[in-house]
Amino acid sequence: MSESVFRLFVSSPGDAAAERSRLEAVVEKLNAEFKDRARFDAVRWETNFYSAHETFQKQIPEAAECDLVVAIFRARLGSPLPQGFEPQADGEPYPSGTAYEVLSAIAKRRDGGPLPDIYVFRYPHDPQVSLNAADRADIENQWRALEGFFERWFKTAGGQFVAGFQPYESTDDFAERIEACLRQWLAKRGIAARET
């Protein structure tokens, strides 16, 4: 049996660096454990170099073209996209690069594609910021943008869930949850852990 390779797109704003690092460690662990049967090929924007001839987002591989998308949100929604970037189907601009990656993958899946599977993880606690912090306004604006994004796409202000997501309490909790998620994803494809 040949090794199955699955492209795993990792999407997050820059404040989820610790979680991205933990996800990389989980991928390495699972790739070693499932060697010769299955391998995740993680697509992470920070591991590549980008040319100055084009925007970052246009050079990052498309999340919607991967087998699996893992999105991680802490307290930021992410960087805005440049003017002229393709809008959503309703003509509205995407609120950030991370939002584009997640929403374009969801749109492809809802249009009937068998993939990608999209798992969204969210740290649900407010950011802690000093009243005198120079970047306080930016932190507050990012938090409000993230809250609005989740109200529109995942859980309304009235409490109705409109899409699935996984909350987590710490980077350790995230690492445990993402490992369980990836193991479950493999198991659904008939790739189980070896008996010890």
Side-chain angles (χ1 to χ4, degrees), residues 97-138:
T98 305
Y100 165 74
E101 292 160 357
V102 172
L103 296 177
S104 63
I106 290 172
K108 181 177 180 189
R109 182 63 190 265
R110 287 182 176 166
D111 282 345
L115 295 171
D117 284 320
I118 305 105
Y119 295 95
V120 175
F121 290 82
R122 179 161 188 211
Y123 182 77
H125 304 291
D126 302 11
Q128 302 301 306
V129 61
S130 167
L131 294 175
N132 295 321
D135 60 349
R136 179 179 171 198
D138 180 55

Side-chain angles (χ1 to χ4, degrees), residues 32-176:
E33 182 179 332
F34 288 86
K35 185 175 170 42
D36 299 326
R37 294 179 299 143
R39 178 172 55 86
F40 289 110
D41 180 14
V43 178
R44 299 175 55 212
W45 62 264
E46 72 271 30
T47 61
N48 292 316
F49 294 93
Y50 301 98
S51 174
H53 79 281
E54 192 57 83
T55 68
F56 286 107
Q57 199 66 50
K58 285 193 176 180
Q59 295 179 72
I60 294 171
E62 288 291 328
E65 300 305 317
C66 292
D67 299 294
L68 179 63
V69 176
V70 173
I72 311 159
F73 292 97
R74 275 196 79 83
R76 296 176 48 84
L77 183 55
S79 300
L81 292 166
Q83 282 190 327
F85 192 85
E86 86 178 69
Q88 297 178 63
D90 64 5
E92 200 175 320
Y94 288 97
S96 74
T98 305
Y100 165 74
E101 292 160 357
V102 172
L103 296 177
S104 63
I106 290 172
K108 181 177 180 189
R109 182 63 190 265
R110 287 182 176 166
D111 282 345
L115 295 171
D117 284 320
I118 305 105
Y119 295 95
V120 175
F121 290 82
R122 179 161 188 211
Y123 182 77
H125 304 291
D126 302 11
Q128 302 301 306
V129 61
S130 167
L131 294 175
N132 295 321
D135 60 349
R136 179 179 171 198
D138 180 55
I139 292 169
E140 290 175 350
N141 289 337
Q142 280 285 331
W143 179 253
R144 282 193 292 278
L146 181 59
E147 289 282 285
F149 177 74
F150 267 80
E151 274 188 16
R152 178 168 180 195
W153 296 101
F154 294 93
K155 184 179 180 184
T156 68
Q160 296 90 15
F161 289 96
V162 293
F165 66 95
Q166 285 62 230
Y168 67 95
E169 293 295 323
S170 67
T171 53
D172 288 339
D173 184 37
F174 170 77
E176 290 174 16

